[in-house]
């Protein structure tokens, strides 16, 4: 031990794990000038996509654009490496429009690794962290309830020690991982990579509560063995919208690959039902809880028995591979059953499996142990992000990684932390749900979880969050000035449209008639005409000939802000009420046992989650409006 103690390196931040959360956390810290080392069990697994080969999707596209607005890397990286792009839900309102891009998995990993390797202040280290180093403390002056421990560094399996001021845990699905395919169990991480088997005990010794979650992935097929004539071809958008606000849209217009749609059938379901006893999920072999909103094909067949078929998307894994991803058919059934069920699907009758489907179990935490900054409540300098926090998905992980990385840096630099509330972004909804709710399954972001989703659109993520990224130090002065110019153009154009009137003359009436819009009885402003569903800013150009040329991103905001103004104003009023509750802070050292008339369930959950505001307390499971009223009365008396 005396010899290993000689091998000590001092850095500012240690990031454990180089998945999507770890990459964002490490880049944020390094870009803010802190000496950072990122540990990974394999350098080849940096930003690996062990499951679906895509970024974005319903609500997840919002997350990626918000991440980009704050200064993250995922949006830029997928813009460099996508092979198909599509805006989802365009037949619905703008609140649920969401961008999704098919990735070239190998290129995505390679491009992100290149970014990390060339980032100043950042070092990549292939090593397994086996222990966190800490000391007992009681910083009661810094936090009302006081930290119990302080992070001092990490030790890797070779015995070398890295002393640091902050650690960000981004272990993904590697911690204590095991993969299951029928009766076959391998103690590895995803894609057969080495699992992280030595850190769990160290976390338990620190008093961190762990749990077991499970996720899964479908098989990969050899493209040459598939019959695409029996499937429906799925194309990308004609005009591609980039994820990153910094990407010039003209640079991403390129030839795209196709995806394919097919379906399961009764024969598929029959094979699955006959072999449920061989599924680790139903045989009781799997201990962890799986994701409700991304179920295995076994779960779909059992829980939705009335459905005659389920969608199956066949997606290319990249331009330089024949592997095809079978989206919608993740499974942990044995290999022989997998092959039998897949071959009942139209187009897959002669399929050859390159990689079997499997389920994976791993250690993660109950995120109620974290502040909204993603720092552990009782351990100063220890932050956590990604699937280790009980979430699922690359996008959710990356957003948490960025927030955790920024806040680790802010804690070292002595600056105010970055927090995003539910009215400011999907990231705020994601983190608030994780730290205030007792999630008993992997958490997945959905548009329905965001109560202010008309304000939190994917198209205005920069207007909502770019300033926060600038204040944190991850957005350049040039990018910030571009944002301010955009805001001025939007404001002035909306004002012009409201103050420009057109009369009920012959030209205007003919224009309205040609666009199936009712005629005018009196003069109306251009803004009033724009509110009509059949008209748009572009169409109004026929009678608004004096307008100046504006960027497409400005026109988009003007169109939406005017057309949905009434709904937007109403939602902004709701946000005002929400923020009043968020401003009512709860002392961290409040003794809930002293609050009279609180129900037992509410008292227990308030003591467990330790909310920082009345607003947060109101969202905790088991805390009723009556409990909140009691708490408000007590706090008023407490304050006096």
């Amino acid at each position: 031990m005396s010899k290993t103690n000689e091998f000590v390196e001092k850095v500012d931040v240690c990031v454990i794990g180089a998945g999507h959360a770890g990459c964002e956390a490490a880049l944020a810290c390094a870009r803010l000038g802190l000496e950072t080392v990122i540990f990974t069990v394999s350098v080849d697994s940096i930003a690996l996509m062990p499951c679906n080969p895509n970024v974005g999707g319903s609500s997840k596209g919002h997350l990626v654009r918000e991440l980009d607005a704050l200064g993250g890397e995922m949006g830029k990286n997928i813009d460099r490496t996508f092979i198909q792009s599509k805006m989802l839900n365009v037949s619905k309102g703008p609140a649920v429009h969401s961008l999704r891009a098919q990735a070239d998995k190998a290129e995505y990993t390679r491009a992100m690794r290149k970014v990390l390797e060339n980032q100043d202040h950042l070092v990549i280290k292939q090593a397994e962290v086996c222990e966190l180093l800490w000391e007992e403390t009681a910083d009661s002056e810094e936090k009302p309830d006081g930290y119990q421990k302080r992070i001092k560094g990490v030790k890797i399996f070779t015995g070398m020690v890295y002393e640091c001021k902050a650690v960000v845990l981004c272990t993904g699905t590697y911690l204590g991982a095991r993969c299951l395919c029928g009766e076959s169990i391998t103690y590895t991480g995803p894609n057969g990579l080495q699992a992280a088997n030595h850190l769990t005990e160290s976390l338990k010794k620190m008093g961190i509560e762990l749990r077991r979650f499970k996720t899964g992935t479908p098989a990969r097929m050899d493209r040459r063995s598939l019959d695409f004539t029996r499937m429906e071809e799925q194309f990308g958008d004609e005009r591609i919208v980039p994820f990153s606000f910094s990407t010039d849209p003209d640079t991403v217009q390129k030839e795209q690959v196709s995806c394919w749609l097919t379906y399961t059938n009764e024969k598929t379901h029959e094979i699955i039902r006959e072999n449920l006893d061989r599924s680790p999920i139903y045989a009781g072999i799997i201990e962890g809880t799986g994701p409700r909103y991304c179920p295995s094909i076994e779960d779909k067949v059992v829980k939705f028995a009335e459905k005659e078929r389920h969608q199956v998307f066949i997606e290319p894994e990249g331009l330089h591979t024949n592997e095809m991803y079978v989206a919608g058919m993740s499974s942990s059934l044995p290999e022989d059953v997998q092959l039998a069920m897949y071959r009942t699907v139209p187009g897959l009758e002669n399929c050859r499996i390159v990689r079997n489907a499997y389920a994976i179990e791993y250690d993660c935490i109950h995120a109620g142990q974290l502040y909204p900054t993603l720092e552990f409540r009782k351990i100063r300098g220890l932050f956590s992000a990604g699937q280790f926090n009980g979430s699922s998905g690359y996008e959710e992980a990356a957003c948490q990684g960025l927030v955790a990385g920024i806040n680790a840096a802010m804690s070292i630099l002595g600056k105010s932390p970055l927090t995003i509330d539910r009215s400011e972004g999907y990231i705020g909804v994601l983190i608030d749900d994780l730290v205030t709710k007792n999630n008993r399954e992997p958490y997945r972001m959905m548009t329905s979880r965001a109560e202010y989703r008309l304000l939190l659109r994917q198209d205005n993520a920069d207007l909502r969050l770019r300033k926060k990224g600038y204040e944190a130090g991850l957005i350049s002065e040039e990018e910030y000035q571009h944002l301010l110019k955009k805001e001025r153009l939007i404001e002035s154009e909306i004002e012009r449209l409201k103050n420009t009137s057109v009369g009920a003359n012959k030209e205007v009436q003919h224009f309205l008639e040609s666009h199936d819009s009712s005629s005018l009885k009196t003069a109306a402003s251009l803004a009033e005409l724009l509110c009509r569903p059949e008209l748009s800013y572009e169409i109004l150009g026929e009678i608004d000939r004096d307008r100046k040329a504006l960027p497409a991103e400005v026109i988009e905001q003007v169109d939406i802000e005017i057309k949905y103004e009434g709904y937007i104003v109403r939602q902004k009023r709701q946000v005002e009420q929400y923020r009043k509750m968020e401003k009512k802070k709860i002392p961290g050292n409040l003794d809930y046992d002293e609050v009279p008339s609180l129900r037992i369930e509410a008292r227990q959950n308030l003591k467990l989650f330790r909310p920082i505001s009345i607003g947060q307390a109101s969202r905790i499971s088991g805390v009723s409006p009556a409990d909140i009223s009691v708490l408000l009365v007590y706090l008023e008396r407490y304050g006096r």
Side-chain angles (χ1 to χ4, degrees):
M1 192 63 197
S2 60
K3 288 184 178 181
T4 58
N5 280 340
E6 295 173 8
F7 294 98
V8 174
E9 188 163 338
K10 293 186 177 181
V11 296
D12 292 313
V13 182
C14 289
V15 178
I16 303 175
H20 302 283
C23 288
E24 298 293 349
L27 287 171
C29 291
R31 287 168 175 172
L32 292 171
L34 299 178
E35 297 305 320
T36 306
V37 59
I38 182 169
F39 296 95
T40 173
V41 294
S42 171
V43 174
D44 295 326
S45 67
I46 290 173
L48 184 70
M49 292 180 160
C51 192
N52 53 298
N54 54 67
V55 167
S58 184
S59 78
K60 291 169 178 281
H62 292 68
L63 288 174
V64 181
R65 299 209 96 200
E66 290 182 358
L67 175 85
D68 181 76
L70 290 167
E73 191 65 27
M74 178 176 267
K76 296 182 180 68
N77 204 55
I78 188 61
D79 284 345
R80 289 189 285 262
T81 59
F82 77 92
I83 55 179
Q84 190 198 81
S85 181
K86 185 180 291 187
M87 187 69 75
L88 305 182
N89 304 321
V90 289
S91 62
K92 301 176 182 178
V96 293
H97 292 180
S98 205
L99 196 58
R100 181 186 186 274
Q102 200 72 22
D104 186 314
K105 291 174 74 164
E107 286 301 315
Y108 186 93
T109 297
R110 191 176 295 116
M112 186 66 85
R113 177 176 170 178
K114 183 178 179 180
V115 171
L116 266 66
E117 288 179 334
N118 290 281
Q119 177 61 52
D120 293 339
H121 308 293
L122 179 58
V123 173
I124 300 169
K125 177 70 175 179
Q126 180 168 296
E128 182 182 347
V129 174
C130 61
E131 186 179 350
L132 297 185
L133 306 177
W134 48 276
E135 65 180 5
E136 298 287 345
T137 185
D139 293 334
S140 56
E141 294 181 2
E142 297 184 40
K143 285 281 191 287
D145 55 340
Y147 291 105
Q148 295 176 353
K149 300 175 181 68
R150 177 189 285 114
I151 278 292
K152 297 288 286 181
V154 306
K155 182 188 288 186
I156 62 177
F157 192 65
T158 59
M160 186 169 179
V161 169
Y162 286 77
E163 291 183 358
C164 63
K165 301 166 187 174
V167 170
V168 187
L169 293 167
C170 304
T171 58
T173 61
Y174 286 83
L175 200 60
R178 65 172 188 164
C179 295
L180 302 98
C181 177
E183 299 87 358
S184 172
I185 300 176
T186 54
Y187 290 84
T188 66
N191 270 17
L193 292 168
Q194 176 186 333
N197 294 314
H198 298 92
L199 187 58
T200 295
E201 286 306 312
S202 178
L203 297 174
K204 288 180 178 178
K205 286 178 183 177
M206 295 181 73
I208 294 173
E209 178 191 340
L210 296 174
R211 54 173 63 174
R212 293 286 280 179
F213 273 176
K214 163 256 171 190
T215 187
T217 188
R220 302 331 189 253
M221 303 292 184
D222 185 336
R223 180 188 184 95
R224 298 168 299 173
S225 67
L226 307 182
D227 182 1
F228 296 106
T229 63
R230 303 206 62 200
M231 308 180 199
E232 300 171 29
E233 191 167 5
Q234 308 288 299
F235 301 98
D237 288 342
E238 187 174 331
R239 177 67 182 177
I240 299 167
V241 178
F243 270 101
S244 176
F245 292 99
S246 303
T247 300
D248 180 351
D250 291 336
T251 65
V252 296
Q253 309 307 317
K254 63 182 182 182
E255 187 176 350
Q256 302 176 68
V257 301
S258 291
C259 297
W260 307 84
L261 173 63
T262 183
Y263 297 89
T264 63
N265 51 56
E266 185 51 41
K267 180 63 176 174
T268 318
H269 302 174
E270 182 183 338
I271 291 173
I272 293 169
R273 283 191 291 265
E274 288 175 352
N275 289 278
L276 282 176
D277 60 322
R278 299 181 66 194
S279 167
I281 298 173
Y282 289 92
I285 300 172
I286 288 181
E287 304 165 4
T289 307
R292 177 189 303 262
Y293 299 103
C294 189
S296 65
I297 189 64
E298 299 98 288
D299 271 345
K300 289 181 184 178
V301 169
V302 171
K303 294 178 180 177
F304 306 102
E306 74 284 357
K307 285 192 172 290
E308 296 180 358
R309 65 179 191 172
H310 296 282
Q311 286 185 329
V312 180
F313 287 95
I314 309 299
E315 303 170 340
E317 297 242 311
L319 297 177
H320 308 291
T321 177
N322 280 330
E323 279 191 69
M324 303 293 285
Y325 181 84
V326 187
M329 287 192 76
S330 67
S331 176
S332 61
L333 286 163
E335 183 174 5
D336 60 305
V337 181
Q338 287 186 33
L339 195 58
M341 73 171 183
Y342 283 131
R343 286 183 171 176
T344 64
V345 176
L348 275 60
E349 292 89 349
N350 300 303
C351 70
R352 293 192 296 269
I353 295 178
V354 178
R355 306 186 200 215
N356 289 325
Y358 63 87
I360 182 169
E361 279 189 314
Y362 53 94
D363 291 335
C364 60
I365 65 164
H366 175 0
Q369 299 168 90
L370 305 174
Y371 286 113
T373 59
L374 298 182
E375 183 180 24
F376 277 86
R377 292 175 178 273
K378 301 299 182 183
I379 309 170
R380 180 167 178 76
L382 182 60
F383 295 79
S384 181
Q387 286 187 264
F388 185 62
N389 285 352
S391 63
S392 68
Y394 310 145
E395 302 83 1
E396 289 93 333
C399 289
Q400 292 172 66
L402 181 70
V403 172
I406 290 173
N407 285 326
M410 296 298 107
S411 70
I412 293 171
L413 298 170
K415 296 182 179 180
S416 299
L418 169 73
T419 55
I420 300 169
D421 69 38
R422 299 181 73 90
S423 69
E424 294 175 313
Y426 273 67
I427 295 176
V429 176
L430 164 68
I431 293 176
D432 187 66
D433 281 351
L434 284 173
V435 303
T436 62
K437 299 187 186 324
N438 190 12
N439 298 296
R440 301 183 184 277
E441 61 197 30
Y443 177 93
R444 180 180 179 178
M445 192 69 240
M446 296 182 291
T447 51
S448 59
R449 297 190 192 272
E451 55 268 57
Y452 309 117
R453 54 186 172 274
L454 183 55
L455 302 180
L456 309 182
R457 306 184 308 276
Q458 56 88 29
D459 58 79
N460 68 357
D462 59 335
L463 298 169
R464 293 184 280 113
L465 296 174
R466 206 65 153 171
K467 185 178 179 181
K468 283 182 178 282
Y470 174 71
E471 290 171 346
L474 293 179
I475 296 298
S476 68
E477 183 65 35
E478 181 183 0
E479 290 171 316
Y480 185 56
Q481 290 303 320
H482 177 80
L483 172 73
L484 296 179
K485 180 181 179 182
K486 179 179 175 179
E487 288 178 336
R488 289 194 296 270
L489 288 173
I490 293 168
E491 187 177 339
S492 62
E493 183 63 0
I494 289 175
E495 191 66 22
R496 186 189 73 83
L497 291 173
K498 287 183 175 180
N499 293 320
T500 302
S501 295
V502 293
N505 56 50
K506 187 175 181 180
E507 179 193 3
V508 172
Q509 303 291 29
H510 177 71
F511 162 78
L512 293 174
E513 183 181 340
S514 66
H515 291 285
D516 297 322
S517 188
S518 57
S519 60
L520 286 177
K521 295 181 179 179
T522 60
S525 70
L526 290 174
E528 289 173 323
L529 291 180
L530 186 52
C531 288
R532 298 185 176 190
E534 63 273 9
L535 300 179
S536 67
Y537 183 89
E538 182 182 359
I539 291 173
L540 283 178
E542 296 178 35
I543 56 173
D544 183 20
R545 299 186 183 89
D546 295 330
R547 67 169 54 167
K548 296 179 181 178
L550 292 171
E553 60 179 357
V554 171
I555 293 172
E556 180 182 35
Q557 294 306 309
V558 170
D559 216 336
I560 293 172
E561 288 289 329
I562 289 179
K563 201 173 283 290
Y564 295 92
E565 184 178 28
Y567 299 102
I568 290 172
V569 168
R570 184 167 63 188
Q571 198 147 95
K572 283 180 177 178
R573 291 198 196 102
Q574 294 171 348
V575 168
E576 288 174 10
Q577 294 301 313
Y578 158 80
R579 286 184 174 162
K580 285 179 183 177
M581 299 291 277
E582 295 302 304
K583 288 178 181 177
K584 295 182 185 295
K585 299 300 180 184
I586 301 175
N589 59 355
L590 182 67
D591 185 353
Y592 289 101
D593 289 327
E594 295 295 318
V595 182
S597 304
L598 269 182
R599 293 178 309 112
I600 293 175
E601 182 185 9
R603 197 185 308 275
Q604 290 173 339
N605 288 337
L606 288 167
K607 287 163 71 174
L608 174 65
F609 287 98
R610 306 296 307 181
I612 62 174
S613 69
I614 287 293
Q616 192 180 54
S618 69
R619 295 188 294 276
I620 294 175
S621 301
V623 178
S624 70
D627 295 318
I628 293 298
S629 298
V630 168
L631 196 53
L632 282 168
V633 171
Y634 181 81
L635 286 175
E636 186 177 350
R637 190 186 314 145
Y638 181 96
R640 289 202 300 268

